[in-house]
Amino acid sequence: MKILITGNMGYVGPAVVSHLRREMPDCMLVGVDTGLFAHCLTQASLPERLLNSQVFADVRDLPAELFEGVDAVVHLAAVSNDPMGGRFEAVTDEINHRATLRTAELAAGMGVKSFVFASSCSMYGFAEGGARTESDELNPLTAYSRSKVAAETGLGEIARHSQMTVSALRFSTACGFSGRTRLDLVLNDFVASALKTGRVSVLSDGTPWRPLIHVNDMARAIEWALLRQDGGNFLAVNVGSEDWNYQVRELAEAVAASIPGTVVEINKDAPPDRRSYRVNFDLYRSLAPAHQPEVTLAGAIADLKTGLDAAGLKDPDYRSSQLVRLNVLTRAIDGGSLGADLRYTANPAAATFSPGFKDLALRTREAMPG
């Protein structure tokens, strides 16, 4: 089986590659990424060493021949959170929506059998009352979530007019340690803050609901979706666990309980956070009983603590580091190596001295045979 993974050099990609290589050792894994965050490593070795090959390309420009002989596509490539979507709104639609549909059309045209799309529960936005099911009304509040809704709509049409099975996995908010860990995610940020400052500051009043899922359990869901037999030609499904529906203050308190000495600060006077939703995962549980989330909240916190300690996270001002992805894009644009359209510029000097370039080059040489 030949599997093409777009956006493999982001946060979730290393976990997906590691899991598929372990569970499907004979498959051919091909990564496709621009390399924008390639240098944002939080492990000693390159995750890409587990791939059969790595293609460096913008997902907006993929040629049809790239899909020749491919059995399945795992589409992770995206402008990946609300702050980035807010700054790059038009580009977010271009990449997350339009390039997703172009990628799926190319894949279907080349006979790809399975297309797995990393969608998001954030499309529920603000939802009062009970936990949201797949048939409930969507309420996207941000450029990021709107792009996911638009992509799902188009993917449904592509699936209906082709022989390709499409799985839109509406993931809960990601968390946990990865080969390229991000600290601009709620639980990851709380753990880093507790470790480096001894405090967890909740900017809201702590009442908003968030469903979470560990990156390793995201990878297990993707494995299931690649091979699924049930659910129809197009399936949009919430991926997570009822046990992982938490209010933000509960996450902060769990981190404080796991890291002694941590002080929790909650801004009780903050205006309401409009992004608040609980999610129902009954459909995923019925379709994928053998691939249910296994990592607990306590396990995710311990995993992050161990990983960040091993990665040598020392700076209390980590929110200004490359572990917050908007910083990486901003510095690349300011340095001249990246345009506002998030395409590389013809500026070799800027590219040569981009943050982490020499370290990445060294690690790449170390990973190469011979």
Side-chain angles (χ1 to χ4, degrees):
M1 188 175 187
K2 183 177 181 180
I3 303 171
L4 192 75
I5 307 170
T6 70
N8 66 287
M9 301 180 88
Y11 170 50
V12 178
V16 172
V17 169
S18 177
H19 180 81
L20 294 181
R21 178 54 69 212
R22 182 174 58 254
E23 298 298 321
M24 305 167 68
D26 296 328
C27 67
M28 177 176 288
L29 298 178
V30 179
V32 181
D33 201 290
T34 58
L36 280 173
F37 307 115
H39 61 285
C40 301
L41 290 162
T42 49
Q43 68 178 44
S45 58
L46 284 173
E48 291 68 50
R49 73 192 190 283
L50 299 176
L51 294 171
N52 294 92
S53 62
Q54 176 70 54
V55 176
F56 289 95
D58 192 308
V59 72
R60 292 169 283 188
D61 305 322
L62 302 183
E65 54 266 28
L66 183 64
F67 299 89
E68 186 173 352
V70 171
D71 298 291
V73 173
V74 176
H75 189 62
L76 303 176
V79 178
S80 60
N81 69 1
D82 291 339
M84 285 190 283
R87 173 157 180 191
F88 304 103
E89 186 164 352
V91 182
T92 294
D93 181 73
E94 183 182 354
I95 293 174
N96 295 11
H97 166 210
R98 301 183 191 283
T100 292
L101 299 188
R102 180 177 181 274
T103 300
E105 288 168 350
L106 289 173
M110 294 298 286
V112 171
K113 300 178 182 65
S114 177
F115 189 94
V116 180
F117 173 58
S119 191
S120 172
C121 284
S122 67
M123 60 179 62
Y124 295 115
F126 178 77
E128 294 182 298
R132 301 293 94 177
T133 69
E134 291 81 0
S135 60
D136 283 326
E137 184 178 358
L138 303 177
N139 184 25
L141 300 175
T142 64
Y144 172 76
S145 57
R146 288 191 293 270
S147 72
K148 293 295 186 179
V149 172
E152 276 197 17
T153 301
L155 288 172
E157 288 300 310
I158 292 170
R160 279 186 280 275
H161 294 91
S162 72
Q163 298 300 309
M164 186 171 70
T165 298
V166 177
S167 305
L169 304 183
R170 293 180 180 175
F171 284 119
S172 303
T173 299
C175 68
F177 192 78
S178 148
R180 289 189 175 88
T181 302
R182 285 171 49 191
L183 297 182
D184 48 9
L185 295 159
V186 59
L187 186 67
N188 297 8
D189 174 75
F190 284 177
V191 173
S193 183
L195 290 173
K196 297 300 118 186
T197 72
R199 295 179 179 275
V200 174
S201 297
V202 181
L203 300 181
S204 71
D205 63 1
T207 61
W209 287 92
R210 293 284 190 281
L212 272 71
I213 187 170
H214 194 281
V215 286
N216 291 348
D217 285 326
M218 295 174 72
R220 297 177 69 249
I222 287 169
E223 177 207 353
W224 164 76
L226 285 169
L227 304 172
R228 71 175 177 87
Q229 298 297 317
D230 299 325
N233 201 39
F234 174 77
L235 173 68
V237 58
N238 299 333
V239 178
S241 167
E242 178 64 30
D243 295 338
W244 273 82
N245 275 310
Y246 285 102
Q247 288 182 289
V248 173
R249 68 180 177 219
E250 294 177 313
L251 297 175
E253 290 163 356
V255 170
S258 297
I259 302 175
T262 300
V263 176
V264 175
E265 300 173 332
I266 295 179
N267 185 0
K268 297 181 179 178
D269 297 323
D273 188 337
R274 295 181 65 215
R275 297 168 302 157
S276 179
Y277 51 91
R278 293 169 58 205
V279 178
N280 179 292
F281 300 102
D282 289 349
L283 179 60
Y284 180 57
R285 186 167 58 249
S286 68
L287 291 173
H291 290 79
Q292 292 300 292
E294 295 179 339
V295 182
T296 64
L297 177 57
I301 294 170
D303 165 60
L304 282 162
K305 181 179 183 302
T306 300
L308 292 174
D309 283 342
L313 179 68
K314 296 182 175 65
D315 189 358
D317 190 26
Y318 64 87
R319 291 192 182 98
S320 297
S321 77
Q322 66 185 23
L323 301 184
V324 173
R325 296 301 193 250
L326 182 57
N327 296 338
V328 177
L329 299 182
T330 299
R331 288 167 187 163
I333 291 171
D334 291 345
S337 63
L338 196 67
D341 57 358
L342 301 188
R343 290 183 180 276
Y344 289 114
T345 63
N347 187 346
T352 301
F353 293 102
S354 63
F357 179 86
K358 293 181 179 178
D359 181 54
L360 175 64
L362 176 61
R363 294 192 193 192
T364 302
R365 288 196 297 271
E366 290 173 347
M368 295 297 288

